Amino acid sequence: MMKKFLLTFGLCLLSAAMLWAADKDEKTELEKRRDTLQYGLESEITDMINTFIKEEDYSFSKELYAAFEATNNTAIRESCIEYFTRAKDDRLEDYALEILEDPYDTKTSTVNKLISYCAEVGIQSAAPLIMQLLDDESEDYLDAGLRALGSIGGAEEAAFLADYLDRDLTTARRQTLMKSLGGLKVTSTWDKLVEVARDEDENLYVRMYATEAIGAMELKDSVPVLMELFESSEPNVREYAIKGLSYYNSHDISAFMIEAFRDNYYKVRIEAAKAVQKWTYRDALDALIYRAQNDGETAVKNACYDAIGALNVAKGNEFLIGILKDKKKGDSTRAKAATVLLINGDRESVAAVCEVAKEVAVDKQRKNLRYAIGKEMAKHKSSQYEEVCLLFLESDDASTVGTGLDIWKTNRYGSCRSKVQEIADREKKTAITKKAALILETAD
């Protein structure tokens, strides 16, 4: 009897131990990601970093910095550099400066990524090191270096680049150099840029970038030059003259932009709409609505929708709501109107979008419109989306549920949490259940 009891007791202990071990082995999605970063194959780690970048998830900076310091694998290192570049995270600054000072024992692709990293993060102390690399006339770093100096350089770098124009460069590099000069906005180069912009024998793209750069300097003397360049028979020069003029805000410029809507070249009309949006020129509303209704180019219509939304006045909002609710319009057009209305954030406008979102949440013929509205909602915090979020989470369409999870991740509605938990707890594990589990874990 005692032997039977001991055997039964032992089996119970073994079962308990096995259950404990199984429970212990059941790791969360967050723990699995961290394990992959620490122990995964090169391809697994780089794929995961690419996923972080795609999802704009920069919460793994600490783990990736540790991985960067520990590894000698070039692919992993370069993926980490790309991650920190996108995150605009300065923790690689010391390493980047050390390599740029003496780059010749480091793989060229790595050096170029570090140059781009310094430009994106804004590490100005890298500028003289990059300028030295360009002065050595090394082809390996020329393209990345020219672009970077336009972001982090100053007066000295601008003078260096202006002199660089006289070197024997490919057309593509002259274009890059001119864009960099424009980015620096150093007024001492103004005369040189005006000369280039007016030179009809110069490469068209170099002229275009010089034209915009003149405006970016925001000097009063640039305005008459840009208006003169707008009279060019070359449509691309007219386009960039409007880009240049968009740096100035005045009644005269507003009138000029309205007149530019008449230009036959569609990109000129797009730039005029962008300028109206930037400075909220309300006297351009009627012209914008006309172009949005009648222009033959979808890109122009979309630019006009953006500008109308930015003006955020009753007449413009009513026009956009009319587009949104018009079931005869295509889904892409209605989605564009919805996006603009959500961005401007007017409560009445958002309510109109929510009304349509609730309709399409259960309409199998309007999936594209549903996804587009949900994707935009996921970018904003608003109590008005709560009902829409729950409808999306209750859908039998996986992509709709995924979009609902994105909306909840941004807004964390208390009424929807149990539904998110239910999705995470589903017995059949899918990409959606894993996504729900990860969102809940990071939310806690």
Side-chain angles (χ1 to χ4, degrees), residues 413-424:
Y413 303 121
S415 64
C416 300
R417 186 182 181 91
S418 60
K419 187 62 185 178
V420 176
Q421 187 68 61
E422 178 191 321
I423 295 167

Side-chain angles (χ1 to χ4, degrees), residues 358-376:
K358 285 185 280 187
E359 290 176 8
V360 300
V362 293
D363 185 346
K364 293 182 179 180
Q365 304 303 314
R366 290 286 178 266
K367 285 185 179 181
N368 290 337
L369 179 56
R370 183 197 311 167
Y371 299 152
I373 293 175
K375 185 178 179 181
E376 187 61 38

